[in-house]
């Protein structure tokens, strides 16, 4: 935060501005900005991570349909989550008998289970005559095939996706970053959607933790190094102080522990096979800097280990240079042919110690006596995988690998992306990643995996000003009457004040809050468009709303000057039929000056910019009357006696009865409305209910408080809706005015529940007519 004070002759302005972190929602952000998310299909590693552990072609034994206690071998045809499409062996290419089963509930077993458990293997009846020797058929069918692993068909790993097989504590082997023939064991500290935090066995310093995606070619199953005659050597570093025997002991303990619940080999089924490379020592090329991935620099092949791995060193011609090495393979991300930057209009960082200011590859190769790596070494130099400029995604901060950030693509060149990471406390240049990088993810990935995402900070400027275009705080008075459009429960969740600041900014913020607190935001948007005055100094602002998955936008004229804010707020409240103090410059503590607490919970009526008070029961409201509002009655506990709980809906009509009036706004209007019902209509209404469905009320429902209404609804078969009555502050008067259309609109209920609720309301009305209307 920072404070600034500026004096200009007679005007002294004090400004307070700060960055406020708000909840980030990808869907809302993309909609508001019109931005585009990178396609999910562009992230191949993420797509693979979502696949089932079961693969088409796997064999298993499954119970025979229609033949009790017998089993037969089946082939997995395809998978869909935990569902498997199976085909009994012997059907060949005939799909007519294919069937789906749920791996979590079906009786599935690995091949060989029947033999081990003395169960009968028998082909289905439909094909049992197809072969004379089924034993010989099975031998041929199963030779060279792959059985579904037993631990995926039973136990704690049953039905899990590949990524979910990797649990905390699992042990893997990790290839050394600088020696491709050297491995060491590492323990999984956490698994975030396949992104693993690993710590070397024997190392307790979290500074050495590594983050890798499970598909990284550096990761192998425990025992890989020994099986492939590779070395197992502990990592080196200043804090690696264990003796040789201590390293061995730590490894033995971890291996013993891991063998108790080994990591299924299915985890590595999607690991890419390495391609052979064509590089030779001394060749030069271009590469995204391995230590600072913000620029591209010239590098050299300084060692070739074998047909798969080679070493690259960043070119540095200074005498005191400390070499920066990295082990690469043919498909390593970020390696590029000579002249790639020139052809793509990208700047190339000249090598440290190279004297010429203008870097030219021909001069440089002549100066160093080296050759450029031929284009044949770079088979996939141009693919973009569907990424485009200005698309959005989530990306790892290269300087803080545990952090994932909201990111925007600022450039796409060949197979490289330039990403601008948002929300960083310390700005950094756009980082460069390969399109095949496993450090980039689609929007929503962090949320789906419950991992924090560093996102944009919303800057809110609030001012305490004597200036023309600024206003003081505007208050949201939660206790004031909210009218027919706004949900009182949602209003109660809003902040108590917004501002101070620029008038248009503060008003737009508070109007957006009100729109999102509405029963139907689209309706409130339409009402707000009607708030205008030709004398106002206004600017147009776009307001947005969401309702039932649909988005609404409208343009509204909002006042710009502080002297017009109070009137603007009052006019908005008038349009929304709520208390004029619901929001505005007036703060309401215990009692509203408008005495709006005693209003019926339908709408607040304005006449000639003045409110008509509620006359007492039995009086008729006249236009312009300023009668004293009726006192709010005390709550009463026992309000009704129910003869027998209703078991079914009997004789209920969904159309309004003659005596049910449209919503009114005063106590006396309710009474007048009810009094208009003739004895005949009352009798007709009463006869619609069988004796067992009638209520006998101990108190007049006109006097029920909100809690009385909630108690009544809770006692019926609509108890699940009682919370709505509490949230919307519906008392007895408002209850008697509810009809099917208003219930559906204001409570957002489907027809079935709305009819059910209206039946209970109708019972109260019938009891009222019978006991109290006269």
């Amino acid at each position: 935060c920072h404070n600034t004070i500026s004096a200009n002759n007679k005007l002294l302005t004090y400004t307070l501005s700060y960055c406020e972190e708000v909840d980030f929602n990808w869907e809302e952000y993309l909609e508001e900005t019109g931005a585009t998310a990178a396609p999910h299909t562009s992230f191949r590693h993420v797509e693979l991570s979502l696949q089932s552990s079961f693969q088409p072609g796997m064999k298993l034994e499954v119970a025979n349909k229609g033949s009790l206690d017998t089993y037969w071998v089946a082939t997995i045809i395809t998978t869909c989550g935990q569902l498997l499409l199976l085909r009994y062996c012997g059907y060949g290419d005939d799909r007519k008998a294919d069937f789906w089963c749920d791996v979590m509930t079906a009786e599935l077993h690995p091949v060989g289970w029947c033999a081990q458990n003395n169960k009968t293997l028998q082909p289905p009846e439909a094909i049992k005559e197809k072969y004379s020797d089924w034993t010989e058929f099975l031998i041929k069918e199963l030779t060279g095939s792959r059985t579904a692993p037993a631990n995926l068909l039973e136990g704690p790993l049953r039905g899990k996706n590949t990524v979910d097989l990797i649990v905390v504590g699992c042990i893997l082997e990790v290839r050394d970053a600088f020696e491709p023939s050297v491995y060491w064991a590492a323990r999984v500290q956490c698994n975030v959607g396949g992104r693993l935090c690993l710590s070397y066995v024997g190392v307790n310093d979290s500074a050495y933790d590594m983050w890798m995606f499970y598909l990284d070619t550096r990761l192998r199953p425990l025992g890989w190094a020994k099986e492939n005659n590779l070395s197992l050597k502990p990592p080196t570093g200043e804090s690696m102080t264990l003796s040789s025997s201590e390293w061995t002991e730590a490894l033995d303990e971890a291996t013993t522990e891991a063998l108790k619940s080994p990591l299924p080999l299915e985890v590595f089924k999607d690991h890419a096979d390495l391609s052979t490379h064509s590089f030779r020592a001394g060749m030069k090329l271009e590469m995204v800097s391995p230590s600072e991935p913000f620029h591209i620099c010239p590098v050299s092949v300084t060692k070739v280990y074998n047909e798969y791995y080679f070493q690259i060193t960043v070119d540095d011609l200074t005498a005191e240079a400390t070499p920066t090495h990295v082990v690469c393979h043919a498909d390593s991300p970020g390696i590029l042919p000579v002249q790639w930057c020139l052809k793509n209009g990208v700047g190339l960082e000249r090598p440290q110690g190279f004297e010429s200011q203008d870097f030219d590859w021909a001069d440089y190769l002549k100066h160093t006596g080296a050759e450029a790596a031929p284009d044949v070494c770079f088979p996939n130099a141009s693919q973009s995988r569907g990424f485009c400029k200005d698309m959005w995604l989530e990306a790892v901060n290269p300087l803080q690998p545990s952090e994932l950030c909201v990111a925007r693509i600022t450039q796409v060149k060949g197979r490289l992306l330039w990403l601008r990471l948002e929300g960083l406390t310390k700005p950094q240049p756009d980082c460069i990643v390969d399109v095949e990088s496993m450090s980039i993810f689609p929007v929503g990935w962090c949320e789906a995996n419950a991992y924090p995402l560093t996102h944009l900070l919303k800057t809110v400027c609030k001012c305490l000003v004597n200036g023309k275009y600024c206003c003081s705080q505007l208050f949201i008075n939660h206790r004031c009457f909210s009218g027919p459009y706004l949900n009182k429960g949602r209003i109660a969740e809003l902040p108590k004040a917004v501002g101070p600041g620029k008038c248009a900014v503060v008003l737009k913020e508070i109007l957006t809050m009100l729109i999102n607190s509405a029963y139907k935001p689209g309706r409130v948007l339409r009402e707000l468009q009607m708030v205008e005055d030709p004398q106002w100094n206004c600017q147009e602002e776009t307001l947005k709303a969401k309702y039932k998955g649909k988005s609404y936008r409208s343009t509204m004229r909002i006042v710009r000057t502080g002297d017009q804010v109070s009137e603007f707020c009052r006019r908005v409240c008038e349009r929304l039929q709520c208390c004029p103090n619901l929001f505005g410059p007036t703060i309401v503590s215990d009692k509203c000056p408008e005495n709006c607490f005693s209003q019926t919970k339908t709408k607040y009526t304005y006449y000639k910019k003045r409110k008509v008070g509620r006359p007492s029961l039995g009086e008729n409201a006249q236009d312009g009357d300023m009668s004293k509002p009726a006192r709010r009655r005390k709550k009463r506990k026992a309000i009704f006696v129910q003869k027998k709980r209703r078991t079914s809906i009997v004789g209920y009509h969904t159309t309004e009865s003659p005596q049910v009036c449209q919503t009114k706004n005063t106590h006396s209007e309710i009474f007048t409305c009810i009094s208009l019902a003739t004895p005949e209509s009352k009798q007709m209404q009463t006869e619609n209910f069988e004796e067992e469905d009638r209520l006998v009320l101990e108190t007049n429902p006109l006097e029920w408080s909100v809690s009385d209404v909630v108690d009544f609804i809770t006692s019926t078969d609509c108890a699940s809706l009682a919370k709505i009555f509490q949230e919307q502050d519906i008392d007895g008067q408002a209850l008697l005015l509810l009809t099917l259309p208003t219930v559906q609109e204001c409570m957002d209920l489907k027809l079935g529940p709305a009819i059910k609720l209206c039946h209970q309301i109708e019972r109260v009305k019938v009891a009222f007519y019978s006991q109290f209307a006269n």
Side-chain angles (χ1 to χ4, degrees):
C1 299
H2 66 272
N3 298 338
T4 61
I5 299 180
S6 61
N8 181 11
N9 295 333
K10 298 179 180 179
L11 180 64
L12 180 68
T13 304
Y14 175 79
T15 305
L16 170 68
S17 62
Y18 62 90
C19 283
E20 179 184 273
E21 191 168 339
V22 296
D23 290 337
F24 181 77
N25 181 288
W26 265 119
E27 185 182 0
E28 290 178 3
Y29 180 75
L30 294 175
E31 182 186 335
E32 289 173 3
T33 59
T36 304
H40 282 239
T41 52
S42 298
F43 305 87
R44 181 173 172 274
H45 60 296
V46 177
E47 293 286 294
L48 287 173
S49 74
L50 301 175
Q51 291 183 2
S52 169
S53 301
F54 296 96
Q55 296 297 299
M58 281 183 172
K59 308 286 186 183
L60 43 75
E61 293 177 359
V62 59
N64 237 328
K65 292 186 175 182
S67 183
L68 204 61
D69 291 332
T70 67
Y71 300 82
W72 190 241
V73 179
T75 304
I76 297 176
I77 303 301
T78 190
T79 66
C80 181
Q82 64 188 41
L83 298 179
L84 305 179
L85 182 63
L86 302 180
R87 181 180 302 165
Y88 286 120
C89 291
Y91 274 93
D93 295 328
D94 187 353
R95 298 182 298 175
K96 67 182 179 185
D98 290 1
F99 60 98
W100 288 96
C101 67
D102 187 335
V103 71
M104 299 303 292
T105 58
E107 189 180 358
L108 305 173
H109 305 284
V111 171
W113 179 86
C114 283
Q116 294 172 1
N117 293 275
N118 296 319
K119 300 292 183 181
T120 303
L121 267 181
Q122 177 181 303
E125 284 291 322
I127 58 170
K128 70 177 183 178
E129 305 297 334
K130 191 172 182 180
Y131 296 95
S132 57
D133 190 341
W134 281 102
T135 302
E136 183 182 351
F137 167 81
L138 277 185
I139 292 173
K140 289 182 180 179
E141 184 78 6
L142 296 176
T143 300
S145 66
R146 188 179 176 200
T147 181
N151 57 357
L152 299 185
L153 296 171
E154 55 195 23
L157 301 182
R158 182 176 184 176
K160 285 193 174 182
N161 284 347
T162 306
V163 164
D164 299 324
L165 298 177
I166 310 171
V167 297
V168 173
C170 281
I171 306 293
L172 304 91
E173 290 182 358
V174 182
R175 176 171 59 78
D176 188 87
F178 306 107
E179 289 289 339
S181 62
V182 174
Y183 284 77
W184 189 249
R187 181 177 282 105
V188 176
Q189 298 296 338
C190 71
N191 176 3
V192 182
R195 191 163 187 261
L196 310 178
C197 179
L198 303 165
S199 62
Y200 281 121
V201 166
V203 178
N204 296 319
D205 188 349
S206 61
Y208 288 87
D209 286 356
M210 307 161 286
W211 282 92
M212 294 184 200
F213 204 71
Y214 82 104
L215 294 172
D216 196 306
T217 54
R218 288 181 62 192
L219 299 179
R220 297 294 179 182
L222 188 64
W224 170 269
K226 185 177 180 180
E227 289 176 9
N228 290 274
N229 298 316
L230 301 170
S231 301
L232 268 177
K233 293 181 182 178
T236 56
E238 291 183 5
S239 64
M240 311 296 184
T241 57
L242 297 184
S243 64
S244 177
S245 60
E246 288 173 327
W247 282 114
T248 302
E249 183 181 352
L251 180 61
D252 289 343
E253 287 180 2
T255 302
T256 303
E257 177 189 345
L259 291 176
K260 293 177 182 177
S261 54
L263 184 65
L265 291 178
E266 278 64 39
V267 167
F268 302 93
K269 65 183 173 58
D270 293 316
H271 272 221
D273 293 329
L274 294 179
S275 306
T276 57
H277 69 80
S278 306
F279 290 97
R280 297 192 306 273
M283 285 181 173
K284 290 196 178 289
L285 57 151
E286 298 176 358
M287 183 182 186
V288 176
S289 171
S291 57
E292 296 180 329
F294 310 115
H295 55 262
I296 301 172
C297 54
V299 297
S300 302
V301 178
T302 49
K303 187 185 292 187
V304 173
Y305 297 100
N306 51 40
E307 70 268 34
Y308 298 112
Y309 294 106
F310 55 95
Q311 182 188 74
I312 278 182
T313 303
V314 176
D315 284 8
D316 189 333
L317 307 184
T318 57
E320 66 281 1
T322 301
T324 300
H325 303 301
V326 60
V327 173
C328 294
H329 51 82
D331 299 315
S332 286
I335 57 174
L336 308 159
V338 161
Q339 303 284 14
W340 186 92
C341 284
L342 180 65
K343 292 176 182 177
N344 287 277
V346 176
L348 180 68
E349 193 91 351
R350 68 185 181 88
Q352 292 289 322
F354 186 63
E355 296 177 358
S356 175
Q357 293 298 316
D358 297 321
F359 181 84
D360 179 79
W361 263 113
D363 293 342
Y364 184 62
L365 291 173
K366 185 177 180 181
H367 175 79
T368 56
E371 65 171 320
D375 288 347
V376 70
C377 294
F378 310 91
N380 301 311
S382 60
Q383 69 178 64
S384 66
R385 290 199 62 83
F387 291 106
C388 297
K389 182 183 177 184
D390 291 328
M391 283 182 173
W392 290 78
L393 45 86
E394 298 173 6
V396 173
N397 179 357
L399 303 184
Q400 185 65 42
S402 61
E403 181 180 31
L404 273 92
C405 305
V406 165
R408 177 172 64 88
I409 301 174
T410 58
Q411 281 190 87
V412 179
K413 299 289 185 180
R415 58 179 298 129
L416 294 186
L417 311 175
W418 275 253
L419 302 180
R420 182 156 302 161
L421 305 186
E422 303 286 356
L424 300 177
T425 53
K426 185 178 180 181
Q428 63 188 35
D430 292 357
C431 63
I432 306 171
V433 300
D434 192 275
V435 294
E436 296 283 357
S437 169
M438 297 186 202
S439 294
I440 56 176
F441 302 90
V443 299
W445 186 86
C446 280
E447 182 182 4
N449 290 283
Y451 195 79
L453 175 68
T454 300
H455 53 76
L456 302 88
L457 294 178
K458 181 179 179 182
T459 302
V460 181
C461 177
K462 296 186 177 182
C463 317
L464 289 171
V465 186
N466 293 326
K468 178 180 180 181
Y469 296 104
C470 291
C471 67
S472 58
Q473 272 192 323
L474 296 182
F475 301 97
I476 301 175
N477 297 305
H478 302 144
R479 297 189 60 194
C480 283
F481 177 61
S482 55
Y485 300 121
L486 305 178
N487 184 314
K488 193 170 183 65
R490 294 176 194 157
I491 292 288
E493 295 172 359
L494 299 181
K496 293 182 178 178
V498 178
K502 287 187 176 179
C503 297
V505 173
V506 173
L507 286 169
K508 182 178 180 181
E509 183 81 11
I510 207 165
L511 289 173
T512 301
M513 291 178 181
L514 293 177
I515 290 167
N516 289 319
S517 300
Y519 296 113
K520 290 192 174 181
R523 173 66 185 275
V524 170
L525 273 176
R526 290 196 299 272
E527 293 294 332
L528 292 178
Q529 283 184 299
M530 307 299 291
V531 180
E532 280 195 60
D533 191 314
Q535 315 237 334
W536 284 345
N537 181 351
C538 294
Q539 70 182 55
E540 289 192 347
E541 293 287 347
T542 300
L543 300 178
K544 301 169 187 175
K546 277 190 172 183
Y547 181 64
K548 290 188 175 180
K550 295 182 180 179
S551 298
Y552 302 87
R553 296 169 186 253
S554 73
T555 301
M556 180 182 179
R557 293 175 60 78
I558 297 177
V559 297
R560 301 174 61 209
T561 59
D563 60 331
Q564 296 174 340
V565 168
S566 179
E567 176 63 13
F568 177 83
C569 293
R570 199 201 68 77
R571 293 277 287 275
V572 169
C573 290
E574 180 177 335
R575 192 75 210 175
L576 298 181
Q577 300 175 31
C578 60
C579 174
N581 292 324
L582 180 66
F583 86 97
T586 303
I587 184 170
V588 173
S589 52
D590 293 331
K591 188 174 181 181
C592 174
E594 296 287 323
N595 201 26
C596 67
F597 305 138
S598 60
Q599 287 295 304
T600 56
K601 304 304 180 280
T602 51
K603 62 184 178 181
Y604 198 99
T605 307
Y606 292 78
Y607 293 101
K608 300 178 182 178
K609 300 186 180 180
R610 292 185 301 163
K611 177 178 72 69
V612 177
R614 277 174 58 182
S616 58
L617 185 64
E619 296 176 357
N620 290 326
Q622 301 294 328
D623 287 356
D625 262 3
M626 298 301 291
S627 308
K628 291 182 180 180
R631 292 182 181 176
R632 193 167 180 82
R633 290 169 174 79
K634 294 181 180 179
K635 294 182 180 179
R636 305 192 183 221
K637 292 184 179 178
I639 56 172
F640 64 90
V641 175
Q642 193 168 6
K643 283 190 174 181
K644 189 174 181 180
R645 192 174 182 84
R646 189 176 68 85
T647 56
S648 62
I649 297 177
V650 181
Y652 177 75
H653 298 280
T654 57
T655 55
E656 275 190 46
S657 302
Q659 71 283 357
V660 180
C661 305
Q662 296 297 318
T663 300
K664 301 297 180 183
N665 58 313
T666 65
H667 196 154
S668 64
E669 286 172 321
I670 297 172
F671 183 83
T672 304
C673 173
I674 295 167
S675 298
L676 292 175
T678 63
E680 291 78 11
S681 65
K682 293 178 192 174
Q683 183 181 2
M684 176 189 68
Q685 180 76 15
T686 306
E687 287 173 353
N688 281 334
F689 291 85
E690 293 185 359
E691 182 64 29
E692 66 171 19
D693 206 42
R694 289 180 185 164
L695 280 178
V696 177
L697 302 177
E698 291 190 350
T699 58
N700 191 334
L702 281 177
E703 300 177 4
W704 287 1
S705 65
V706 175
S707 61
D708 292 337
V709 171
V710 170
D711 288 344
F712 168 72
I713 298 297
T714 304
S715 72
T716 70
D717 56 359
C718 297
S720 60
L721 304 177
K723 186 180 178 182
I724 299 177
F725 286 79
Q726 184 74 55
E727 289 176 348
Q728 299 188 17
D729 207 15
I730 296 174
D731 61 9
Q733 298 172 22
L735 180 74
L736 290 174
L737 292 172
L738 290 177
T739 62
L740 182 61
T742 56
V743 163
Q744 282 188 276
E745 180 176 350
C746 296
M747 296 187 180
D748 197 20
L749 296 178
K750 292 183 179 178
L751 182 60
I755 290 175
K756 201 173 180 181
L757 177 60
C758 282
H759 178 79
Q760 298 296 343
I761 296 170
E762 203 78 358
R763 296 172 68 215
V764 177
K765 292 178 182 178
V766 169
F768 175 82
Y769 299 140
S770 302
Q771 297 176 241
F772 303 101
N774 291 328

